[in-house]
Amino acid sequence: MLDGILAGLSTAVMPMNLMMVIVGCLVGTFIGMLPGLGPITAIALMIPLTYSLEPSSGLILMAGVYYGAIFGASSSSILINAPGCSATVVTAFDGNPLAKKGQAGKALAVAAYASFTGGTLGAIMLLIAAPALASVSLSFQSADYFALMVLGLSAVAAFSGKGQVLKAVMMTIVGLMLATVGTDRSEGVERFTFGQMDLIDGFSFLLLAMATFALAETLMSVLKPENPNNSATEQKMMSELGSLKLTKEEVKSVAAPTLRSSFLGFFVGVLPGAGATIASFLAYGVERNLAKGDAKKEFGEGSLRGLAAPESANNAASTGSFVPLLTLGIPGSGTTAVLLGALIAYGIQPGPRMYIEHPDLFWSIIISMYFGNVILLILNLPLIPYLAKLLSIPRPYLVPMILLFSITGVYLVSFNSMDIMIMVAICMAALGLRLLNFPMAPMLLGFILGGMLEDNLRRALLIGDGELSFLWERPLTLTFISIAAMVLFSPLLRPLWERSKAKAEYEKAKQKAAAK
């Protein structure tokens, strides 16, 4: 193994491969900033260009584009609330409010540092334990995946404000319902398509994200124009970059969430079928539930912890998704499926023997990921002042630009004009719900997890002859279900526990007074 790592290191530091890392990071960052052109599109665009390259150089270039695109997508989420890809939707929850407060520079800097930490820790864990982690991911069964999805849904409370838990649950159910539209993957029958060919494939996540966030917020600003004085003040604040430096207290507050989310994100990324999107939602939910007092109230209003958690998680998950790809030949996400195709096009079959038969290629990809994260940090920190200039564009010009990017991005995914009409219809519905103070994030969470929840429940029931005993027969499944139950019911049980504690203290004080 050590010989293989040294061979990979010598390949990764070749001038040609270092240049591929830099080009990949730059191209990925640029494409990632454009809503709709996420990492899958970015890598697909690179495939024809890599045919003339050595396999290691080509794959290092595409890997650089991958995590560069994830980083670039965070910038558009923070600056204009238009997520460049699904993995950075959560970044907008606290990143955009920070930009509106005149702290765009700090938000972009935190995103850069958190992404670097997540990507670096992910690369190190990949280097140390890739073959071993592959066997761990294989031990996951349908019942465990189902329980993991339930645990993910239990984070719904993290995406709702005070007194909005019921509304959040209702929106989650709407998301689960939307996930059922299209062709049933088990039976092959159409569900809720109303005979429309355009609905056979169901809704795309990008369409829903653009309709409920970028498009809906833009139209909200037109329908509900704010006080001109307030708007001018907000515009002035948004045009300010703010300091890029973090205080000691701020570093301390984001350090633990970043580390926790990096490990969580990597672990989720290792599981085939999970991916960076679920990792970012889970990390945000976990940090929101762990926060206490004022720190908890800041979530959704511009919390640095709420920004650092998903950013570190989605980068770590992107790195982790290479574990099943390289060691098992199983793509862990849509992006790694494209990379799998590129590997096969080079005549390389990824799998358990890849790191034995092609050690230089296997380890050079992993080592180049660390280089890529360093280069991303070096390249993008100086670019922050220029990126933040986007906020200084006057709103009358910014609004049409966001509309153009959103519509173009959704169209370029499917080249289907019907998707644009569906997006407008969903946007209208989202506008009405937003006016009634229904949170949109739980709907997206339900939609993301809905498909996998259903598939794994079906498989688990099939294996268990229709019995629900799989929920408590496997220790891992039972652990996930128990944690989900604790997360869901803790808000209800906490007042009872506090009342009981206060009563016990009162009785104790009473006994002491009587003894005196």
Side-chain angles (χ1 to χ4, degrees):
M1 181 172 164
L2 184 60
D3 292 339
I5 292 174
L6 291 174
L9 180 62
S10 63
T11 306
V13 297
M14 288 170 65
M16 179 67 177
N17 291 338
L18 287 176
M19 192 177 76
M20 288 298 111
V21 176
I22 296 171
V23 172
C25 289
L26 274 174
V27 172
T29 302
F30 177 73
I31 295 179
M33 283 186 66
L34 302 175
L37 298 180
I40 295 179
T41 311
I43 292 176
L45 288 171
M46 288 292 110
I47 287 178
L49 302 177
T50 59
Y51 280 151
S52 58
L53 300 173
E54 289 290 319
S56 55
S57 302
L59 289 166
I60 285 172
L61 173 67
M62 286 190 277
V65 169
Y66 183 19
Y67 41 76
I70 296 284
F71 183 86
S74 306
S75 302
S76 55
S77 293
I78 292 169
L79 297 175
I80 56 176
N81 201 20
C85 65
S86 57
T88 60
V89 168
V90 189
T91 304
F93 294 170
D94 285 291
N96 192 247
L98 280 168
K100 287 180 176 176
K101 289 177 184 176
Q103 298 180 17
K106 187 169 286 186
L108 289 167
V110 168
Y113 293 131
S115 299
F116 171 74
T117 308
T120 302
L121 287 177
I124 292 170
M125 286 187 275
L126 190 60
L127 184 70
I128 295 172
L133 284 170
S135 59
V136 173
S137 69
L138 274 183
S139 69
F140 263 62
Q141 295 184 4
S142 300
D144 305 325
Y145 274 109
F146 170 74
L148 184 65
M149 298 302 123
V150 172
L151 178 60
L153 284 175
S154 71
V156 62
F159 304 104
S160 58
K162 194 174 181 181
Q164 285 189 318
V165 176
L166 185 59
K167 287 182 177 179
V169 172
M170 289 169 69
M171 292 305 294
T172 307
I173 295 170
V174 171
L176 290 170
M177 291 167 67
L178 288 175
T180 63
V181 175
T183 305
D184 184 331
R185 284 179 281 190
S186 300
E187 305 291 336
V189 296
E190 293 178 21
R191 298 188 304 193
F192 310 113
T193 59
F194 304 103
Q196 295 292 322
M197 290 287 288
D198 298 292
L199 291 177
I200 283 180
D201 291 332
F203 300 113
S204 79
F205 180 84
L206 180 72
L207 185 153
L208 283 178
M210 288 293 125
T212 52
F213 278 86
L215 214 57
E217 180 158 326
T218 307
L219 294 180
M220 277 283 282
S221 68
V222 176
L223 290 174
K224 289 183 73 179
E226 297 178 1
N227 185 307
N229 294 329
N230 291 342
S231 182
T233 306
E234 183 185 308
Q235 186 67 33
K236 187 182 174 186
M237 287 177 69
M238 286 180 69
S239 65
E240 292 174 356
L241 173 63
S243 173
L244 272 66
K245 292 182 180 177
L246 301 176
T247 63
K248 281 185 181 177
E249 289 73 23
E250 288 170 339
V251 172
K252 195 175 173 184
S253 70
V254 300
T258 301
L259 290 175
R260 275 195 297 266
S261 303
S262 297
F263 287 107
L264 174 67
F266 182 78
F267 178 71
V268 174
V270 166
L271 302 176
T277 306
I278 293 174
S280 59
F281 271 92
L282 272 176
Y284 188 86
V286 167
E287 290 306 323
R288 167 70 162 67
N289 286 325
L290 288 178
K292 292 178 181 174
D294 292 338
K296 193 166 191 169
K297 292 176 185 171
E298 286 178 3
F299 275 74
E301 305 292 331
S303 166
L304 291 178
R305 296 177 62 168
L307 173 60
E311 271 303 292
S312 50
N314 63 30
N315 276 269
S318 302
T319 309
S321 65
F322 278 79
V323 172
L325 173 69
L326 296 178
T327 57
L328 301 173
I330 301 170
S333 62
T335 311
T336 49
V338 179
L339 283 170
L340 174 65
L343 275 168
I344 293 172
Y346 277 121
I348 298 165
Q349 182 60 50
R353 294 192 61 78
M354 185 181 168
Y355 73 96
I356 299 170
E357 294 172 353
H358 304 281
D360 54 333
L361 178 64
F362 182 87
W363 294 111
S364 66
I365 295 172
I366 294 174
I367 292 168
S368 75
M369 287 181 185
Y370 177 74
F371 293 156
N373 279 289
V374 175
I375 288 167
L376 269 179
L377 191 68
I378 294 171
L379 287 179
N380 287 296
L381 278 179
L383 288 178
I384 286 176
Y386 303 101
L387 293 175
K389 289 286 182 190
L390 274 175
L391 295 176
S392 62
I393 299 173
R395 192 170 285 273
Y397 298 105
L398 190 61
V399 168
M401 281 174 61
I402 296 173
L403 288 175
L404 176 67
F405 281 130
S406 304
I407 293 171
T408 308
V410 168
Y411 181 73
L412 286 178
V413 170
S414 61
F415 292 99
N416 186 353
S417 56
M418 184 68 180
D419 278 2
I420 298 174
M421 288 188 266
I422 294 172
M423 181 172 70
V424 172
I426 292 175
C427 173
M428 292 298 118
L431 271 176
L433 289 168
R434 285 174 73 130
L435 289 170
L436 295 170
N437 289 325
F438 278 85
M440 290 292 109
M443 188 268 287
L444 289 179
L445 182 68
F447 180 78
I448 292 169
L449 299 181
M452 285 185 283
L453 186 82
E454 182 187 351
D455 290 346
N456 288 295
L457 176 61
R458 279 187 172 187
R459 274 196 289 267
L461 285 172
L462 198 63
I463 294 168
D465 292 329
E467 299 292 332
L468 287 173
S469 55
F470 68 86
L471 290 174
W472 53 82
E473 283 181 346
R474 286 180 58 79
L476 195 57
T477 308
L478 185 61
T479 304
F480 284 147
I481 292 288
S482 302
I483 296 172
M486 281 192 287
V487 171
L488 275 176
F489 294 111
S490 61
L492 298 174
L493 298 176
R494 187 174 295 166
L496 295 175
W497 182 76
E498 288 176 351
R499 198 179 301 166
S500 169
K501 188 180 173 186
K503 189 177 178 182
E505 287 176 353
Y506 172 75
E507 290 295 334
K508 196 174 177 183
K510 194 176 172 183
Q511 286 175 1
K512 274 187 179 178
K516 287 179 182 177

